[in-house]
Amino acid sequence: MAERFERHRQPWRPDEIQKLHTLAKKGMPLKAIAKALTRSEESVKARAKEDGLSIAKLH
């Protein structure tokens, strides 16, 4: 079963966006970024796409 996030549909704060950019540039995988930001993988993926970031894929 997927983890439940209490912050469902909450807007992104500037510090979260900054952290997302930093972690994505370091090459962290999606799952790790989502956990660090306490957001769902779908939310992180959508925000990264919106900002033109690429997230490392785990093989």
Side-chain angles (χ1 to χ4, degrees), residues 16-58:
E16 291 176 315
I17 295 167
Q18 181 63 47
K19 192 170 183 181
L20 168 62
H21 282 247
T22 303
L23 297 176
K25 285 178 184 140
K26 284 184 180 177
M28 277 183 83
L30 179 61
K31 192 171 229 165
I33 294 173
K35 198 170 204 93
L37 294 171
T38 61
R39 288 190 175 264
S40 69
E41 290 179 31
E42 291 77 23
S43 173
V44 171
K45 202 185 303 180
R47 184 66 208 206
K49 186 176 181 182
E50 202 177 295
D51 289 0
L53 296 171
S54 60
I55 306 250
K57 301 276 190 284
L58 281 181

Side-chain angles (χ1 to χ4, degrees), residues 1-24:
M1 191 164 97
E3 287 183 56
R4 299 286 302 150
F5 292 93
E6 296 298 317
R7 306 186 49 220
H8 185 69
R9 297 259 178 222
Q10 293 294 311
W12 284 76
R13 296 189 321 262
D15 62 310
E16 291 176 315
I17 295 167
Q18 181 63 47
K19 192 170 183 181
L20 168 62
H21 282 247
T22 303
L23 297 176

